[in-house]
Amino acid sequence: MTTGEVLERAGAAGEDKDYVQSLVRGLEVIRAFSQYKPRMTLSEVAQHTGLTRAAARRFLLTLVREGYAETDGKLFALRPKVLELGFAYLSSLPIWEIAQPVMRDVVNTLQESCSLSVLDGDDIVYVARVPTARVMTIGLSIGSRLPAFCSSMGRVLLAGLPPAELAVVYDRVRIEKRTPRTVATMVALKEAVENARRQGWALVDQELELGLRSIAVPVRNRRGEVLAALNVSTHEGRSSIEAMRTQFLPVLLDAAQRISAALPQ
Amino acid sequence: MTTGEVLERAGAAGEDKDYVQSLVRGLEVIRAFSQYKPRMTLSEVAQHTGLTRAAARRFLLTLVREGYAETDGKLFALRPKVLELGFAYLSSLPIWEIAQPVMRDVVNTLQESCSLSVLDGDDIVYVARVPTARVMTIGLSIGSRLPAFCSSMGRVLLAGLPPAELAVVYDRVRIEKRTPRTVATMVALKEAVENARRQGWALVDQELELGLRSIAVPVRNRRGEVLAALNVSTHEGRSSIEAMRTQFLPVLLDAAQRISAALPQ
């Protein structure tokens, strides 16, 4: 009996025979590691994932055996091989490689961090980021997620959705105030997204985090569909909203144009 | 009977009860997607992974259900959520975030691509890369692997290994000529690595690929241990070996210093 057959029976015994629970659990084990927890004991992994120690041990030993993780016998850590998982996706985005040098120019010009993100459900996910030495925030790197409704990139990505898809997001999205400035109502959110659609950019002033301001523009393919959002973020003490409109925006719009023009037909 | 128990029995029936085969197969499915195959049918995934269609289907549907993949019913593709797998590792490397702006300075100064890599067995794995618009090569991105023995970063990383670990690599490494210039013998390789150790940098001239030249330096932690290698690559038609020594090397050494100095104690 192969594992596949066994799983099929196990699944059948459970809810859904097409659901490979052990794969999902294994992925949870990989995701349990982070910059805050780069090395964990078996118990910590079990605790972090809600797995039994026995199950966590099986997954960890499998990851070690396959080169995805390493252990000194007590502590476990991930190995560079896991990069081959996430990058199968990244490398499949032509926009990613094309955007890098353009984003570097933006950072050189504005001396502020520049990021590229795509929509994933109600979140935006960073697919590229060029930080400045000054505002180095370990908290935000490729793969980071932020709620779309209160981020500048999220607003332009929502504005780029077909009405039907946008309606689905609106039905689902839960507005939670992250700062006193976060949009408080669906009406206000819809207005902000409409505004982003009309003007072709979005500026978010401390709705995500106090002190944080960002301005974003859409990156479109040849058919005019929004593929991603490009933004520059700054600290309210460093750049006025006016400066972001007059100095950041033209640079961002130009960068988005250059990326779009370089995209494969 | 839980899947875990089932797997345990399945494993026991097989070779190793601690080996979760379905996790490994699921990871293979994720890795099957690439920039060359961003979208695949069920049959293509099965073919690519050597899984049965039934098994491939189970893994794909599981990935879709968990948000790691999407499908239009015929074609499957990965979703941004897979980035959370590889980046659990990247974000756990303080050197990564610290190196970005420094590498950007290197590229601005030299107008050549700059990369950061770590050793993984006999390979180097790219953990950061700042390309120039000119030499944008989709082929090399974060997560890419290259043989350590014939790459400049590989040579400095090997040179940084404790003698015992280096000996293990020497026993295992298989020298294959990738160009007429690739080192041909173990003696020559050991000499090159020793040379890299003595001088503190390595220059590789078209041993990996004809036309490709690169020079690398080690990035050390406070204890002087080599954590990673930093390199600049160029085309032989663009920069002479002399220019790489006199112009590239000082910039690289300075960059490595800055990264080391910024690393947490």
Side-chain angles (χ1 to χ4, degrees), chain B residues 10 12 32 43-44 57 59 66 68 78-79 109 120 124 128 153 155 180 197 233 238 244 252 254 256 261:
Chain B
S43 312
E44 288 176 306
R57 182 170 170 282
F59 290 120
E66 291 296 310
Y68 291 105
L78 296 177
R79 301 266 318 143
T109 306
D120 186 34
I124 60 167
M153 290 192 283
R155 297 256 170 100
R197 191 203 306 272
S233 55
R238 214 158 48 228
M244 292 175 76
L252 270 178
D254 173 65

Side-chain angles (χ1 to χ4, degrees), chain B residues 171-237:
Chain B
D171 289 343
R172 199 176 43 202
V173 73
R174 284 177 35 254
I175 290 179
E176 62 181 65
K177 286 194 74 76
R178 299 186 131 233
T179 80
R181 291 164 170 271
T182 311
V183 286
T185 66
M186 279 304 295
V187 174
L189 172 59
K190 289 179 177 178
E191 209 173 273
V193 171
E194 252 324 296
N195 193 28
R197 191 203 306 272
R198 269 199 315 274
Q199 66 192 15
W201 52 274
L203 192 152
V204 166
D205 180 21
Q206 308 178 68
E207 292 189 42
L208 187 65
E209 193 177 300
L210 279 178
L212 182 71
R213 273 182 190 151
S214 71
I215 183 166
V217 300
V219 179
R220 303 175 183 275
N221 63 15
R222 303 304 180 90
R223 290 186 301 285
E225 298 155 340
V226 175
L227 296 180
L230 188 71
N231 95 335
V232 166
S233 55
T234 183
H235 190 279
E236 53 89 20

Side-chain angles (χ1 to χ4, degrees), chain A residues 57-72 75-77 79, chain B residues 19:
Chain A
R57 182 171 169 282
R58 271 196 305 277
F59 289 120
L60 285 167
L61 291 180
T62 300
L63 291 172
V64 168
R65 181 164 142 185
E66 291 296 311
Y68 292 105
E70 64 188 2
T71 180
D72 58 9
L75 289 168
F76 290 84
R79 301 267 318 143
Chain B
Y19 191 66

Side-chain angles (χ1 to χ4, degrees), chain A residues 6 22 79 104 120 131 145, chain B residues 6 22 79 84 104 120 131:
Chain A
V6 173
S22 56
R79 301 267 318 143
R104 214 176 61 243
D120 186 34
R145 306 177 83 84
Chain B
V6 174
S22 55
R79 301 266 318 143
E84 293 170 24
R104 214 175 62 243
D120 186 34

Side-chain angles (χ1 to χ4, degrees), chain A residues 199-256:
Chain A
Q199 67 191 15
W201 52 275
L203 192 152
V204 166
D205 181 21
Q206 308 178 66
E207 292 189 41
L208 186 64
E209 192 178 299
L210 279 178
L212 183 71
R213 270 179 192 153
S214 72
I215 183 164
V217 300
V219 179
R220 303 174 183 277
N221 62 15
R222 303 303 179 89
R223 290 187 301 286
E225 297 154 343
V226 175
L227 296 180
L230 188 71
N231 95 334
V232 166
S233 56
T234 183
H235 190 278
E236 53 89 19
R238 213 158 48 228
S239 311
S240 69
I241 288 177
E242 188 47 28
M244 293 175 76
R245 272 210 214 85
T246 57
Q247 292 154 40
F248 292 13
L249 184 55
V251 174
L252 270 179
L253 289 169
D254 173 65

Side-chain angles (χ1 to χ4, degrees), chain A residues 3 6 16 18-22 31 33 35 57 62 65-66 68 79 84 88 91 104 120 131 145, chain B residues 3 6 16 18-22 31 33 35 57 62 65-66 79 84 88 91 104 120 131 145:
Chain A
T3 307
V6 173
D16 175 357
D18 287 327
Y19 191 67
V20 187
Q21 196 172 28
S22 56
R31 293 176 63 195
F33 293 89
Q35 73 223 34
R57 182 171 169 282
T62 300
R65 181 164 142 185
E66 291 296 311
Y68 292 105
R79 301 267 318 143
E84 293 170 23
S91 62
R104 214 176 61 243
D120 186 34
R145 306 177 83 84
Chain B
T3 308
V6 174
D16 175 356
D18 288 327
Y19 191 66
V20 187
Q21 197 173 28
S22 55
R31 293 176 61 194
F33 293 90
Q35 73 224 34
R57 182 170 170 282
T62 300
R65 180 162 146 187
E66 291 296 310
R79 301 266 318 143
E84 293 170 24
S91 63
R104 214 175 62 243
D120 186 34
R145 306 176 82 84

